[in-house]
Amino acid sequence: TRPGPPRPGPGGLRWGPYRNRRRARLVAGDEPGAWSIVERALVSGAPAQDVHLELVVPVLRDIGDAWAAGEFDIADEHRASSVADRIIGRLGPSFARRGRKRGTIIIGVAAGDQHSLPLSILGDIIRGQGCAVVDLGAHTPPESFVESVRTHSDVVRAPLVCRPPPRLEPARTTAPSPPQHTPTPHTP
């Protein structure tokens, strides 16, 4: 017997066709077309978090892998990343939650690493879990983490985002810079 069609992923969607169309739209620099694919997934019942994790992330990884393999030139990769950045920004408000925040999480990318798209996605998902997010962006010096922890009394975490080697060395120089005090989480 032949295997049946692939089972739907999270949200009941078959993500493959969405991913293929989105990749083509991003590489072409077609922001309206790329956004319409996101809208179709949302209208089909996919939660915003699934759109990030099942559509945005795999497509960006695929584009990066294609660039590394020489299938795309740097202009293609940058054009796709630029459109993806705007799409991620449009999807961001979908993660806002009303009510009291569960604390503040400070996020940033290690000094030396310019990749901010994973950080934007992480920030959205954290916001969707009811936390406030202080996003320090890419290429964040250690002092910015320390100062941000000092100025926010309800910090519960301050993760450092970095890519695999060779980006780990900047992360190592950033990570050992803890604040002089350890904030305690606010509990109601």
Side-chain angles (χ1 to χ4, degrees):
T1 64
R2 292 182 58 187
R7 301 188 73 184
L13 296 178
R14 297 186 197 294
W15 290 102
Y18 286 90
R19 289 178 186 149
N20 295 338
R21 288 192 300 267
R22 181 162 164 86
R23 178 183 184 212
R25 297 299 86 222
L26 289 177
V27 172
D30 179 6
E31 182 179 349
W35 179 249
S36 72
I37 294 164
V38 169
E39 284 184 316
R40 277 182 274 185
L42 293 169
V43 167
S44 296
Q49 180 170 319
D50 288 356
V51 171
H52 268 339
L53 298 178
E54 299 295 332
L55 180 62
V56 175
V57 170
V59 169
L60 288 174
R61 185 181 308 118
D62 183 53
I63 289 170
D65 290 347
W67 170 76
E71 295 174 38
F72 295 141
D73 63 28
I74 195 68
D76 294 327
E77 189 274 336
H78 280 243
R79 184 175 46 253
S81 294
S82 179
V83 171
D85 185 37
R86 291 191 299 276
I87 298 298
I88 291 166
R90 289 177 73 174
L91 190 56
S94 305
F95 290 89
R97 284 185 43 182
R98 299 174 76 180
R100 186 178 181 148
K101 300 299 177 205
R102 297 171 44 194
T104 298
I105 298 180
I106 299 169
I107 59 175
V109 177
D113 192 339
Q114 297 295 329
H115 293 85
S116 62
L117 291 179
L119 190 67
S120 297
I121 293 167
L122 175 63
D124 284 346
I125 292 170
I126 292 169
R127 281 182 198 93
Q129 298 302 311
C131 293
V133 174
V134 175
D135 183 344
L136 299 177
H139 192 61
T140 304
E143 303 80 26
S144 295
F145 281 97
V146 173
E147 185 58 30
S148 293
V149 169
R150 285 186 181 140
T151 59
H152 293 85
S153 63
D154 64 341
V155 172
V156 292
R157 298 276 186 273
L160 174 68
V161 177
C162 63
R163 294 179 8 177
R167 302 288 188 225
L168 289 180
E169 191 52 40
R172 285 187 182 107
T173 61
T174 301
S177 303
Q180 296 301 313
H181 72 284
T182 303
T184 55
H186 175 73
T187 55

